[in-house]
Amino acid sequence: MIPAPATRAASYRAELAHPADFEGLRRILRTALALGIPPQLLDWTITGDESLPVRHPPLPPVPDAPTPRVPKQFLELAQLAISHTSPRRFRLLHSLLIRLQVQPRLLEDRSDPEVDDAEQMAKAVSRDRHKMRAFVRFRETSDEAGPHYIAWFEPSHHVLRLDAGFFVRRFASQRWTILTPQVSAHWNRQELEWLPGASRNDAPGEDPVEEIWKTYYASTFNPARLKVKAMESEMPRKYWKNLPEAALIPQLIAQAETRSSGMIAVGTLANVRDEAQACRRCPLWQPATQTVFGEGPEGARLMIVGEQPGDQEDLQGRPFVGPAGQLLDQALAEAGIDRSSAYVTNAVKHFKFQLRGKRRLHEAPNAGEIEACRWWLDRERALVKPGLVLMLGASAGRALMGRAVAVGKERGRPIPLPDGSAGFLTVHPSYLLRLPDEAAKQAEYARFVDDLRAAKAQAGA
Ligand code: URA
């Protein structure tokens, strides 16, 4: 039984360690929910901010306050929304949490003003994260411990804590500090330290590390996808002169404008693969072990696109190495295709599954996940430039053709892709594995090998 506070205060002080203290928020909301304290009775303060007067008693501790039941979507939403600068965010999340206890599907109602408000906050924070990744510019300094890269950035929201992990992964072997007005992050090559906010004058003003940043920029920024107008709104022209990679912009725009596909990939397969490891374009990265990127030679004549990694692929980090992959290998060999000469990848790069006990059961990706992951597939295609893209099954077909496909009807013949390049659709090997009838399995397998032979001829592989 949760003890009710002996006497009800007019308000309670809800203290967070910093403005985006998600763990603190969870602890307080759990307690408030257990005590039945409504949102208007919590007075949110950020400790360390001396300017805030202490007016109310702190929230009484409730040991073992039960964890409220909420959909995972709420945790994701709250983690982003708490990083927004709006002072309304805490009360809003508190109110949503209370309502979710009686309306578990509340978040599906986009017409609900509170849901909409939280979604808008989360979107603004996501945009700000994207800007931080794109615009943070390190400058090289050095001290007795060696090179030290320092960047100054002014985010619109509290995104540094949310995204410091990205910079740690990206620049793990360098010593760096990102200074912002609210808080600064320092990576000493082993651990991340949080330091007070700083001012622009604390950051060095000259000598951007041009080569590192041109490479980084070229591998992360895709101006053609953003289109020139959108690009200007992402990176207003007034900033361009200060950025080391600005020299690349006219060239990238020119390429963007002349490519009929409207898509361009820059960088190398290796750095796109590397970047994909930190992909958060859809929620599938969370339960998955790792991003499973494509593999094979740049310049392969044939690109083979499956659906998504399965259990084995997720663990090993390579496409088509589980049972479907073994069947594919066998069929490729029978069709005279050397797998190592083809580029093998998937429409979706993270394993999507449902947990049943200890088993992870494959779950097909939805259209949104396929669309989110097309970002990587497009870049693989632009770098490999295959003569033919062989699509295995409906998800690959959707990713490449941008529409639902009827595999049974459209398989086995050349299909032009929307950008004019050559495609070819056939069944997915898992389909063959699932066929219950042995005779049908043999016949379908033979058809599959025939399709592979036709694709090989078409690709000139
Ligand atoms: N199925 C796929 O579509 N891709 C893999 O990599 C494995 C199984």
Side-chain angles (χ1 to χ4, degrees):
M1 204 22 205
I2 306 291
T7 46
R8 282 234 172 227
S11 273
Y12 295 95
R13 200 166 72 241
E15 289 182 344
L16 296 177
H18 56 80
D21 177 8
F22 185 60
E23 284 316 310
L25 174 90
R26 289 181 79 173
R27 180 178 38 77
I28 291 168
L29 291 189
R30 211 179 286 155
T31 305
L33 196 69
L35 294 173
I37 296 175
Q40 63 277 18
L41 289 197
L42 284 191
D43 189 26
W44 292 89
T45 62
I46 313 295
T47 52
D49 187 341
E50 307 294 346
S51 62
L52 287 168
V54 174
R55 283 170 299 174
H56 306 296
L59 206 58
V62 176
D64 307 326
T67 310
R69 292 184 66 82
V70 287
K72 201 160 128 228
Q73 200 190 343
F74 177 69
L75 294 181
E76 290 164 7
L77 183 70
Q79 206 155 10
L80 288 173
I82 193 185
S83 298
H84 199 279
T85 43
S86 165
R88 288 195 325 276
R89 65 195 185 282
F90 308 121
R91 210 167 258 196
L92 175 67
L93 293 171
H94 187 179
S95 171
L96 282 173
L97 176 70
I98 293 171
R99 295 177 60 204
L100 276 166
Q101 305 311 299
V102 286
Q103 277 176 272
R105 304 187 66 169
L106 172 64
L107 297 184
E108 290 165 29
D109 181 4
R110 294 297 163 93
S111 63
D112 183 278
E114 287 195 330
V115 173
D116 183 56
D117 203 7
E119 289 284 350
Q120 295 304 330
M121 286 186 191
K123 274 201 190 119
V125 169
S126 292
R127 276 197 299 274
D128 207 35
R129 286 174 90 167
H130 174 73
K131 288 213 163 95
M132 186 167 76
R133 289 181 179 200
F135 295 151
V136 156
R137 295 292 169 269
F138 286 104
R139 304 195 173 222
E140 185 171 357
T141 64
S142 75
D143 54 28
E144 58 293 346
H148 179 191
Y149 297 89
I150 303 181
W152 164 251
F153 186 68
E154 287 178 78
S156 305
H157 300 286
H158 304 291
V159 289
L160 183 57
R161 287 181 191 270
L162 209 51
D163 248 21
F166 168 82
F167 291 96
V168 168
R169 284 190 298 277
R170 183 98 209 167
F171 302 110
S173 60
Q174 315 284 2
R175 209 156 52 98
W176 54 256
T177 306
I178 300 176
L179 306 170
T180 79
Q182 297 78 24
V183 65
S184 304
H186 175 66
W187 172 246
N188 62 17
R189 286 193 290 247
Q190 270 156 10
E191 60 188 355
L192 197 59
E193 293 168 56
W194 293 103
L195 307 169
S199 81
R200 182 186 290 278
N201 295 337
D202 297 322
E206 297 300 325
D207 298 331
V209 198
E210 300 207 3
E211 287 316 312
I212 294 180
W213 283 99
K214 278 185 182 169
T215 314
Y216 169 69
Y217 170 76
S219 71
T220 54
F221 205 75
N222 184 337
R225 181 53 81 79
L226 294 169
K227 299 283 179 8
V228 177
K229 270 289 153 222
M231 176 177 164
E232 284 180 12
S233 73
E234 288 283 315
M235 181 192 270
R237 275 180 194 269
K238 65 180 181 180
Y239 294 140
W240 292 10
K241 65 180 186 317
N242 299 324
L243 300 173
E245 66 279 18
L248 295 178
I249 293 174
Q251 177 199 342
L252 292 173
I253 291 177
Q255 284 170 302
E257 285 173 337
T258 53
R259 293 281 293 245
S260 59
S261 67
M263 191 277 291
I264 183 174
V266 281
T268 64
L269 267 181
N271 61 32
V272 176
R273 158 195 288 271
D274 192 31
E275 213 190 300
Q277 289 307 322
C279 181
R280 303 287 184 268
R281 300 181 67 81
C282 80
L284 293 185
W285 66 274
Q286 279 170 319
T289 309
Q290 57 191 312
T291 304
V292 179
F293 204 69
E295 62 179 25
E298 197 159 330
R301 297 295 304 148
L302 180 65
M303 177 181 272
I304 302 175
V305 182
E307 181 185 73
Q308 60 162 340
D311 183 73
Q312 284 304 308
E313 287 80 11
D314 171 75
L315 297 173
Q316 296 185 38
R318 295 184 52 211
F320 281 108
V321 290
Q326 283 155 23
L327 189 63
L328 176 66
D329 286 351
Q330 184 189 328
L332 286 172
E334 275 187 46
I337 299 171
D338 173 10
R339 168 164 169 170
S340 67
S341 70
Y343 187 87
V344 180
T345 191
N346 282 301
V348 170
K349 309 284 194 261
H350 281 113
F351 179 32
K352 180 174 180 186
F353 58 90
Q354 261 186 18
L355 259 188
R356 286 278 162 75
K358 287 194 179 154
R359 293 185 61 212
R360 304 192 299 172
L361 299 184
H362 161 274
E363 202 181 329
N366 63 36
E369 289 151 357
I370 292 173
E371 176 55 24
C373 216
R374 203 161 57 81
W375 166 263
W376 302 114
L377 186 58
D378 283 349
R379 297 174 96 188
E380 289 176 297
R381 285 177 62 204
L383 286 160
V384 176
K385 301 188 190 69
L388 183 84
V389 180
L390 173 62
M391 300 164 273
L392 304 179
S395 297
R398 177 182 275 284
L400 273 309
M401 293 200 254
R403 61 172 172 85
V405 295
V407 180
K409 283 202 195 127
E410 300 180 66
R411 68 178 288 183
R413 56 187 152 82
I415 305 183
L417 300 180
D419 65 357
S421 64
F424 195 104
L425 179 69
T426 187
V427 296
H428 191 284
S430 306
Y431 158 74
L432 306 176
L433 290 172
R434 284 195 304 267
L435 287 172
D437 176 74
E438 197 47 41
K441 209 177 226 165
Q442 298 283 338
E444 279 299 311
Y445 176 75
R447 261 187 97 190
F448 181 54
V449 174
D450 284 347
D451 282 353
L452 297 185
R453 282 200 189 96
K456 171 179 154 66
Q458 178 78 18

